[in-house]
Amino acid sequence: MTDLPIVEFAYPGPLRDTLVAAVLTGAKTTTASLLVQYADEEMPRVGERGAVVDSAGLTVGIIETRAVDVVALKDVSLQHALDEGEGYADVAQWRAGHERFWHSTEVRAELGDPHFTVDDDTQVVLERFVLV
């Protein structure tokens, strides 16, 4: 058990398990989320540490935030996409994968908008972190 804030990648299940494994091997050092998802919670802060949990809710690692940027979706860099550690070859692949997730039933339910969609100007939170 830890007193650190909980860090959840995706929702419990295969995607979370894949992302957590990439964090633990050091392949995943960045992540992206929608700015709108922070309406009721604090944004990540540089220097802040968090407890990464797996699909069972168990703490499996600690990460420390190194950088946080808010950018338009159209401005996400290739380096960020590559550093997500999910095997994306370019930003277009990264965006397609993230749009599938952000347009999922789970995200739309979380946002309370069954028709939520992103576009070039949607604000995304890009976080760079290190496993400690």
Side-chain angles (χ1 to χ4, degrees):
M1 202 65 176
T2 177
D3 291 335
L4 294 173
I6 299 298
V7 177
E8 297 177 290
F9 290 94
Y11 297 101
L15 179 57
R16 176 177 290 176
D17 296 338
T18 298
L19 298 177
V20 167
V23 169
L24 297 178
T25 65
K28 181 172 183 61
T29 58
T30 62
T31 194
S33 53
L34 298 167
L35 181 60
V36 69
Q37 291 176 296
Y38 290 97
D40 296 326
E41 61 184 88
E42 285 189 34
M43 295 260 298
R45 292 187 308 263
V46 172
E48 182 176 70
R49 289 185 173 193
V52 177
V53 297
D54 64 11
S55 288
L58 300 173
T59 298
V60 294
I62 306 296
I63 59 171
E64 182 176 303
T65 301
R66 293 291 169 95
V68 179
D69 295 295
V70 178
V71 302
L73 183 55
K74 66 184 177 198
D75 295 327
V76 172
S77 71
L78 174 60
Q79 193 61 59
H80 177 88
L82 296 174
D83 291 346
E84 285 227 9
E86 297 176 55
Y88 299 117
D90 55 37
V91 175
Q93 279 185 353
W94 174 90
R95 181 168 172 167
H98 282 71
E99 283 189 14
R100 278 191 300 277
F101 178 74
W102 290 331
H103 295 161
S104 70
T105 303
E106 295 89 349
V107 171
R108 287 175 168 167
E110 178 185 330
L111 296 175
D113 181 354
H115 306 290
F116 176 80
T117 58
V118 298
D119 62 30
D120 280 351
D121 296 320
T122 299
Q123 297 293 292
V124 293
V125 178
L126 305 180
E127 185 177 355
R128 179 167 296 281
F129 57 84
V130 63
L131 186 65
V132 293

